[in-house]
Amino acid sequence: MFDDRSPIYRQIAERIKADILSETLKGDEQVMSTTQYAAFYRINPATAAKAFQHLVDEGVLYKKRGIGMFVSPDARDALRTERRRSFFTDVVDPMVAEARTIGIPLDDVIRRIEELKA
């Protein structure tokens, strides 16, 4: 599950965000405890705790004292808004730049997108 490209706590946070976006985890649903997460993935509990705290700080998760961590009710909408904001900068702009670099006319790119739409 984990690779060397980014810190494990960030990979955990991204996995949980992906689960929320795909609705594997839904608003107000309880997530595994940091201890359970650490045991399941065989990682240091402090690493899992750091990931969960990061998600709490972002408003993706919230804590219920003595009960555990839960998905914020509006987490999916907030994550979708965040991803939509960065989509053109992170995906489309580099794609257009690469197409220009290798000599693909933008009309061909648009045509391909239209084909995929159908």
Side-chain angles (χ1 to χ4, degrees):
M1 171 175 182
F2 304 113
D3 59 44
D4 293 334
R5 286 181 264 162
S6 65
I8 291 174
Y9 82 92
R10 284 192 183 156
Q11 293 179 58
I12 293 167
E14 289 305 314
R15 178 75 253 155
I16 291 170
K17 287 178 180 182
D19 286 346
I20 293 168
L21 284 167
S22 70
E23 295 188 289
T24 301
L25 289 171
K26 295 181 177 19
D28 291 316
E29 186 174 333
Q30 188 170 11
V31 298
M32 281 192 277
S33 72
T34 55
T35 305
Q36 290 170 322
Y37 206 92
F40 186 80
Y41 290 105
R42 296 178 180 233
I43 59 171
N44 187 316
T47 301
K50 186 173 182 178
F52 280 47
Q53 187 58 53
H54 181 72
L55 293 169
V56 168
D57 293 345
E58 288 185 349
V60 175
L61 299 180
Y62 67 93
K63 298 176 189 178
K64 284 187 181 179
R65 179 162 275 219
I67 300 175
M69 296 277 199
F70 293 80
V71 176
S72 296
D74 63 342
R76 184 170 188 266
D77 290 338
L79 291 170
R80 288 182 78 186
T81 298
E82 175 188 318
R83 295 259 177 110
R84 285 177 177 165
R85 236 182 272 133
S86 66
F87 177 77
F88 288 97
T89 304
D90 295 347
V91 177
V92 176
D93 295 351
M95 178 189 64
V96 169
E98 178 68 9
R100 284 184 174 141
T101 299
I102 61 176
I104 298 174
L106 291 182
D107 288 341
D108 289 356
V109 174
I110 293 166
R111 191 171 14 266
R112 178 64 177 149
I113 291 169
E114 287 292 332
E115 288 171 3
L116 293 171
K117 180 178 157 185

